Amino acid sequence: MVPLLLLLSSLHSVELCSRTPSVPMPNPATCSASCPNALLPVPGTFLLDTPSTTPGGCSVRTLLCTNGPITGGNPRITYNGGPGFVSAPSSVTLTVTCNAAGTAWTYMGIAITSVSCP
């Protein structure tokens, strides 16, 4: 009888609890709309340096290279002095995004400080 009484008394306390509404957590900022272009100087060998803003408010720059290496082959954009690069047939683009702090242009999470289009 005592266990049944304890069970009933615990059920009563459950009924007194009320749900609190959930509070949505804000997503952390992953980019910014305010990176100075001077953080990533782009040499004149690039065909295009297009600044834009994504629907989420991120500042981006799209760099276009159509020059192939001196030895022939596909155009390539080398960043941070190499060995990192992107390459594609006939033309290649590199899209960099302003980081959340507004202090660097990034590609795949890596701060890009220099680019070249041979």
Side-chain angles (χ1 to χ4, degrees), residues 87-114:
S87 180
S90 70
S91 68
V92 62
T93 60
L94 176 69
T95 301
V96 291
T97 305
C98 182
N99 70 354
T103 57
W105 292 99
T106 62
Y107 173 68
M108 296 179 63
I110 300 168
I112 306 299
T113 56
S114 66

Side-chain angles (χ1 to χ4, degrees), residues 31-40 51-52 57-61 96-106 112:
C31 62
S32 172
S34 59
C35 269
N37 283 345
L39 292 174
L40 178 58
S52 62
C58 301
S59 184
V60 295
R61 289 169 72 186
V96 291
T97 305
C98 182
N99 70 354
T103 57
W105 292 99
T106 62
I112 306 299

Side-chain angles (χ1 to χ4, degrees), residues 17-82:
C17 293
S18 62
R19 267 193 161 171
T20 56
S22 62
V23 177
M25 297 299 293
N27 290 331
T30 57
C31 62
S32 172
S34 59
C35 269
N37 283 345
L39 292 174
L40 178 58
V42 176
T45 54
F46 282 86
L47 184 62
L48 189 64
D49 176 8
T50 308
S52 62
T53 304
T54 67
C58 301
S59 184
V60 295
R61 289 169 72 186
T62 302
L63 310 175
L64 174 65
C65 175
T66 58
N67 298 340
I70 295 170
T71 59
N74 294 332
R76 99 174 17 180
I77 298 174
T78 304
Y79 54 88
N80 294 348

